[in-house]
Amino acid sequence: MNALSHQPKVAIYDRNDGKDGWQTLWEDALACCDHGYFQSWAWINRWLVELPPEIPVFLIRAECHSGFAMGIFTFRRRKRWSIVDSRAVHLHRSGHCSFDSLTPEYNALLSNSDNPNLLLSLLDALPINWNEAYFTLLDLRRYPGSILNNKQLGNYRVTWVDQRPSYYVELDKVRDCDGDYPATIGSQIRQQLRASTRKAEKCGALRIEQAESLVDAQAIFSSLVELHQLAWQRRGEKGAFHDAWFRTFHQNLIAERMRYGEIQLLRILCGDHVLGCVYNFVYQNEVLYYQSGFDYEHFSQLRPGLLSHKLAIEFNAARGRGSYNFLAGEVRYKRSLATNKHILGSSVIQKRDAGLAVERWARKVRSACSPGRQQQR
């Protein structure tokens, strides 16, 4: 048999030529492979609809005897340091900070194989003159995060630029403790939660409300945005929802997906007072905590953020969910409230390129001259 017959077959679809058939292709692939909410068609389609039309977007699928791999890549060209010509492709991101503020996590190709040749074929077939490919916040349990463990992939150079924990609560453990979530975590945070609960209950009964209709969802989302923005602005920060594009994306996602049970908007109350609002995604029995707004102005002594998560965790445990995932970030409250973690990693794959080689050399020199310097995040 000819060796070429073993090479994966690749199909390329350009958004500029229309998206007819993309949903069928995508949903057929979803049915054959492990994936998360940020690869669901609900999320991907909303992202594609909201992305400006001038951003080049390609859906690429590679298939061979061992299986398939498929993903959506965008392209952005820019100058770094006014010298380095970066012609970058991005998996399920745009490469523009304003649009990537969505921060989709657990990134992966849709794939039912661990064959490295599938990824190589996708990269080789990209219909654009690129010199680096960004795979941001990859799920290391899924393809290609599961195979990018070497510095070389064919003729391409692989560099891991970041790894972050994604903390989560195993809700079976909460059910094993008869729904008493604080019993599953460390003593210090457990004592804080129980003290805050007692203090709050002196002001009024703690309860949680879930949006059951689109009207309810829109009302809770509006309150969440207001509380979120107020809290961040008091710290001198802009807040996530200052960007109209970001806000509109989520308003449209909620309007489109609320009826499918993927959107969970919770209001946490102490008596008649709103302590906070929580915005989650629910997918494949997993709850993904995405955004929130808490009333620190009036209830800071009650630790409204911790109390809200406690009630949200117990609420979802009682409904048989599998996990409550805080998503990526080495943040104290996430670490303290969690019972386990996954690791997400970001990788850059580069072609042999003189400009990129000079940049790597310059970074090494700078690092050697500043051994104590640490990147701030």
Side-chain angles (χ1 to χ4, degrees), residues 71-227:
I72 296 175
F73 293 85
T74 66
F75 176 76
R76 185 187 182 193
R77 184 172 188 170
R78 62 193 179 100
K79 288 281 188 182
R80 284 200 296 267
W81 323 110
S82 301
I83 299 173
V84 179
D85 183 22
S86 169
R87 305 184 302 280
V89 291
H90 300 259
L91 177 66
H92 303 149
R93 289 196 171 210
S94 70
H96 297 262
C97 292
S98 55
F99 306 126
D100 291 341
S101 61
L102 295 172
T103 320
E105 302 180 14
Y106 288 84
N107 200 6
L109 289 164
L110 299 186
S111 181
N112 61 356
S113 171
D114 60 359
N115 187 341
N117 287 330
L118 290 168
L119 177 57
L120 280 168
S121 295
L122 291 177
L123 294 172
D124 290 342
L126 281 164
I128 205 153
N129 182 23
W130 65 279
N131 61 359
E132 50 185 356
Y134 286 82
F135 294 80
T136 306
L137 292 176
L138 289 173
D139 185 341
L140 301 188
R141 303 166 301 164
R142 296 178 177 136
Y143 191 89
S146 57
I147 64 155
L148 290 177
N149 51 7
N150 298 316
K151 292 185 177 181
Q152 204 72 21
L153 179 71
N155 292 323
Y156 301 117
R157 176 189 177 92
V158 180
T159 304
W160 286 99
V161 296
D162 184 30
Q163 288 199 352
R164 302 182 191 184
S166 176
Y167 291 103
Y168 63 96
V169 178
E170 299 152 297
L171 296 181
D172 280 344
K173 292 186 176 181
V174 180
R175 288 187 286 272
D176 289 343
C177 294
D178 297 323
D180 181 17
Y181 160 64
T184 69
I185 53 179
S187 59
Q188 183 177 3
I189 190 69
R190 179 168 65 245
Q191 291 169 6
Q192 290 177 358
L193 278 173
R194 289 183 169 159
S196 294
T197 300
R198 289 192 297 269
K199 189 180 294 186
E201 288 176 340
K202 291 179 181 178
C203 303
L206 284 171
R207 56 196 174 91
I208 190 166
E209 295 178 348
Q210 177 177 229
E212 301 294 348
S213 68
L214 179 56
V215 172
D216 292 342
Q218 290 168 334
I220 293 177
F221 183 73
S222 179
S223 296
L224 182 151
V225 171
E226 183 178 352
L227 289 169

Side-chain angles (χ1 to χ4, degrees), residues 299-318:
F299 299 103
S300 60
Q301 292 185 341
L302 299 182
R303 296 188 174 95
L306 295 182
L307 276 182
S308 295
H309 282 302
K310 171 187 178 293
L311 267 68
I313 288 165
E314 293 176 345
F315 175 87
N316 282 289

Side-chain angles (χ1 to χ4, degrees), residues 251-286:
Q251 288 170 336
N252 290 337
L253 182 69
I254 291 166
E256 188 173 83
R257 303 306 300 182
M258 181 67 192
R259 65 183 180 273
Y260 295 99
E262 297 168 3
I263 305 297
Q264 184 180 82
L265 280 155
L266 304 173
R267 181 188 290 119
I268 293 82
L269 299 105
C270 177
D272 294 328
H273 303 287
V274 177
L275 290 182
C277 301
V278 178
Y279 175 26
N280 297 327
F281 302 126
V282 181
Y283 193 70
Q284 297 180 340
N285 209 37
E286 180 181 35

